Amino acid sequence: MSTSAPRKMGLTMATMLVAGNMIGTGVFLLPANLATVGSISSFGWMIATAGAIALGLVFARLSQLNPQPGGPYAYARDTFGNYIGFVSNYAYWFGNWIGNVAIALVVTGYLSQLWPWLEGIYPRLGFTLAVIWLLSLANARGARWIGALETGTLLLALVPILGIAIAGWWWFDPDLFRAGWNVSGMSDSAAISRSASIALWAFMGVESAAVSADVIDDPRRNIPLATLFGLALAAVIYVSCSLVIMGMLPMEQLRDSSAPFAEVARLMIGPWGVVVIALCAIFKSVGALGGWMLLVGQSAKAAAEDGLFPRVFCRLNRHGMPGTGLMIVAVLMSGLLLVTSSPTLARQFDQLTNIAVLLTIIPYLFSAGALVATTLERNEQGALRAGCLFIAATAVAYCLYALVGADAQLLAYATVALLFSAAVYPFFRQRLHSQGNQD
């Protein structure tokens, strides 16, 4: 008996995948991270938004020219060769599943507003483990199911988020905003650079549609549009929410909060507002985690099919998903959750997101380089040539600027992890040679 091909995502679902992955990875807890710097991070947001727009245009152009499963990995492989393709996927894969642990923590953090017993370290870890495994199993059921989950949870979350972004200005205190201008202990320029690096976490996911080319209808049209529409929606929501919250809560309180939106809702409309925000944050984070797991699976699958990642990651189940690979990632996420456990959720979230950002910058840089190479090879002329080169240069400059602003110790850890790829690659290189696929 023949089976029908798995249904793919259209433009709306692909747009929600992009916006949902970006918004879901930071909107509900990122204000607490930025509070370690202060309200001067408003300048960091400007830089981050400009850099994210440049990255979005990079992926939109590359996917318009040649949409490929794997996105950044595929562009790096085709432009720079197998080794750089391997490094790109290695960094992207590690960065994404590390970041997924942080998203799972957001679910637990907001649920603790309803169930205070989850604030203890052991209940928090146990419940977060359950979230990881539930979403891993759900993801194995198919891409369209995940697209529907992203769409529904994003639309649900937008109501209270937009409510705070718009109505919150009634409670905004300019004196409170100024009092927390720079609480980082760094110079203003260093604080802005640090906040721009933190804010990059908000825009991680701009490549979501490009990575998922294999499960999107009419990818040459829908991927560029979904990338730009999703980015625009996420940018407006992020910037407006972060700025207004920093004028509603003292930086000390915001910095240590495990649910900043819930605390703002309590200030605006009372205790029942905490329940509304907590439920929306939980559902939205669940949707985002599902979307990010899709990206992890698709990126690894594309590299595995080329012989640049273990074959187990391209083994598909009856739903057309790399089910075994998803279960392996769930095991790794569970281990990392336990290893990085911290007395406060905000501290653990901060560590995980910063490491994830540093690793993900690598494939972003390679993608910008791929756009330069593609533009020159196609011998583009006039405004199109100048525009593509400017966009690529802006994306590179922002990625390097974010690296400069990163925490020195975490940057050292990420560098060691990245250099380890050189020791792993020879095993895959041998397989490529045996298949007759030379570097």
Side-chain angles (χ1 to χ4, degrees), residues 3-319:
T3 58
S4 59
R7 298 179 67 190
K8 297 186 177 183
M9 291 185 280
L11 176 59
T12 299
M13 284 189 175
T15 298
M16 291 303 179
L17 177 68
V18 175
N21 279 358
M22 285 191 284
I23 294 172
T25 57
V27 70
F28 288 110
L29 205 54
L30 194 65
N33 289 44
L34 290 170
T36 62
V37 177
S39 48
I40 194 174
S41 58
S42 54
F43 288 107
W45 269 121
M46 295 178 188
I47 297 171
T49 303
I53 291 172
L55 287 169
L57 291 172
V58 165
F59 288 114
R61 179 58 177 165
L62 288 172
S63 58
Q64 182 184 48
L65 294 173
N66 188 20
Q68 295 191 68
Y73 151 72
Y75 304 140
R77 176 202 62 206
D78 290 351
T79 304
F80 303 110
N82 287 327
Y83 175 64
I84 298 301
F86 171 79
V87 172
S88 180
N89 179 69
Y90 173 94
Y92 189 77
W93 185 76
F94 270 98
N96 277 357
W97 68 256
I98 290 171
N100 284 352
V101 179
I103 302 174
L105 283 169
V106 175
V107 178
T108 306
Y110 272 87
L111 198 58
S112 68
Q113 297 293 307
L114 306 180
W115 297 338
W117 58 270
L118 283 175
E119 293 180 358
I121 185 169
Y122 295 114
R124 184 178 82 221
L125 293 176
F127 189 86
T128 306
L129 283 173
V131 171
I132 289 171
W133 281 96
L134 178 64
L135 267 295
S136 297
L137 294 171
N139 207 283
R141 289 187 56 83
R144 188 171 176 82
W145 191 91
I146 294 299
L149 178 66
E150 281 273 36
T151 301
T153 55
L154 178 59
L155 293 175
L156 177 65
L158 282 179
V159 176
I161 290 173
L162 290 176
I164 290 175
I166 297 171
W169 292 101
W170 182 262
W171 285 266
F172 182 83
D173 183 351
D175 292 333
L176 193 62
F177 187 85
R178 286 193 293 268
W181 181 246
N182 184 356
V183 298
S184 66
M186 300 182 286
S187 66
D188 285 356
S189 59
I192 293 171
S193 178
R194 177 77 180 114
S195 63
S197 180
I198 294 173
L200 178 56
W201 169 256
F203 294 110
M204 281 178 59
V206 68
E207 75 288 352
S208 298
V211 174
S212 306
D214 215 22
V215 293
I216 293 178
D217 279 326
D218 192 6
R220 199 176 296 273
R221 169 186 176 272
N222 287 338
I223 292 177
L225 291 176
T227 298
L228 297 179
F229 291 162
L231 172 61
L233 178 61
V236 170
I237 290 172
Y238 265 125
V239 176
S240 57
C241 284
S242 292
L243 293 183
V244 73
I245 287 176
M246 286 184 174
M248 297 175 69
L249 295 175
M251 288 300 160
E252 297 78 10
Q253 179 183 351
L254 185 57
R255 182 185 57 211
D256 297 328
S257 174
S258 61
F261 272 75
E263 295 192 27
V264 168
R266 181 184 289 112
L267 176 66
M268 292 173 62
I269 53 180
W272 69 270
V274 176
V275 177
V276 174
I277 290 292
L279 289 174
C280 290
I282 291 163
F283 286 122
K284 178 65 210 78
S285 299
V286 166
L289 183 56
W292 274 103
M293 285 182 173
L294 175 69
L295 263 63
V296 172
Q298 292 298 315
S299 177
K301 171 179 171 289
E305 288 174 342
D306 292 338
L308 289 172
F309 219 58
R311 294 183 187 277
V312 67
F313 287 95
C314 63
R315 192 176 301 161
L316 303 183
N317 61 19
R318 64 189 180 90
H319 300 290

